[in-house]
Amino acid sequence: STNPSVASVNDGVVFGLTEGETDIIVTTQDGGLSDTCHLAVFAVGIHDNEIPSFAVYPNPALSKITVSADITGESVVEVIDMAGNVVYSIAMTSEGTLELSIDMSDFGAGTYFVHLTNGKEQAIEKVIKK
């Protein structure tokens, strides 16, 4: 890696260490071919929620979930699948308590992340769709 603080390579496996960009030089075992791959590392893990009142229920869910939070102002709620695709997104304005019902009946069974952004604060919760 040209920036080892962002990513490192160990036995052919690339490990993202922090958000940023780096280049990885890939070489065949015999050294005959080589190429440079540009790598962007983004944080997608679960972290402490900055909106303490944020809740998603029921979990696991069969068809619908409710997203609630005590927030004011413009917000965005997204549902993200395990591949990182945004499968649902809505922007809204709320004054006080946000209560949003999301129909997940057309979503395949699996793990999803519900991401709420309110100004500079954000929260994320894992939800299982049966």
Side-chain angles (χ1 to χ4, degrees), residues 44-103:
V44 294
I46 304 286
H47 54 81
D48 292 336
N49 287 332
E50 298 169 342
I51 304 170
S53 63
F54 177 66
V56 178
Y57 55 89
N59 193 4
L62 294 175
S63 61
K64 289 187 179 183
I65 59 171
T66 299
V67 177
S68 68
D70 293 328
I71 55 175
T72 301
E74 294 182 16
S75 301
V76 176
V77 176
E78 297 175 319
V79 178
I80 304 164
D81 67 15
M82 289 297 290
N85 300 308
V86 176
V87 296
Y88 176 90
S89 180
I90 187 168
M92 63 187 64
T93 301
S94 63
E95 297 299 324
T97 301
L98 165 74
E99 290 284 335
L100 172 67
S101 179
I102 300 174
D103 184 0

Side-chain angles (χ1 to χ4, degrees), residues 46 78-82 111-115 124-126:
I46 304 286
E78 297 175 319
V79 178
I80 304 164
D81 67 15
M82 289 297 290
T111 303
Y112 295 85
F113 296 96
V114 178
H115 182 235
I124 191 163
E125 185 73 37
K126 179 172 76 171

Side-chain angles (χ1 to χ4, degrees), residues 36-49:
T36 301
C37 299
H38 186 74
L39 179 69
V41 177
F42 300 97
V44 294
I46 304 286
H47 54 81
D48 292 336
N49 287 332

